[in-house]
Amino acid sequence: MLWSDPENEPPEELREAQNMLRRLSILMALAMVLAMIVIGVR
């Protein structure tokens, strides 16, 4: 790796997309747990 290489920092748009994906995956996981509870109660 050269000293002149830029830092391994993703661009702003990519960071925002990653944050959105993270939130979406957390929401999906919560929804799955909720669905399991609802199915289990019946």
Side-chain angles (χ1 to χ4, degrees):
M1 192 152 173
L2 299 172
W3 288 108
S4 60
D5 283 350
E7 287 186 27
N8 195 8
E9 186 79 11
E12 190 65 38
E13 304 94 36
L14 191 65
R15 250 180 290 157
E16 283 180 26
Q18 284 173 342
N19 285 336
M20 214 157 80
L21 274 173
R22 204 170 293 127
R23 283 190 216 114
L24 197 67
S25 63
I26 292 169
L27 269 173
M28 286 294 288
L30 285 173
M32 288 290 284
V33 170
L34 201 66
M36 292 289 191
I37 291 170
V38 168
I39 290 168
V41 165
R42 288 184 183 183

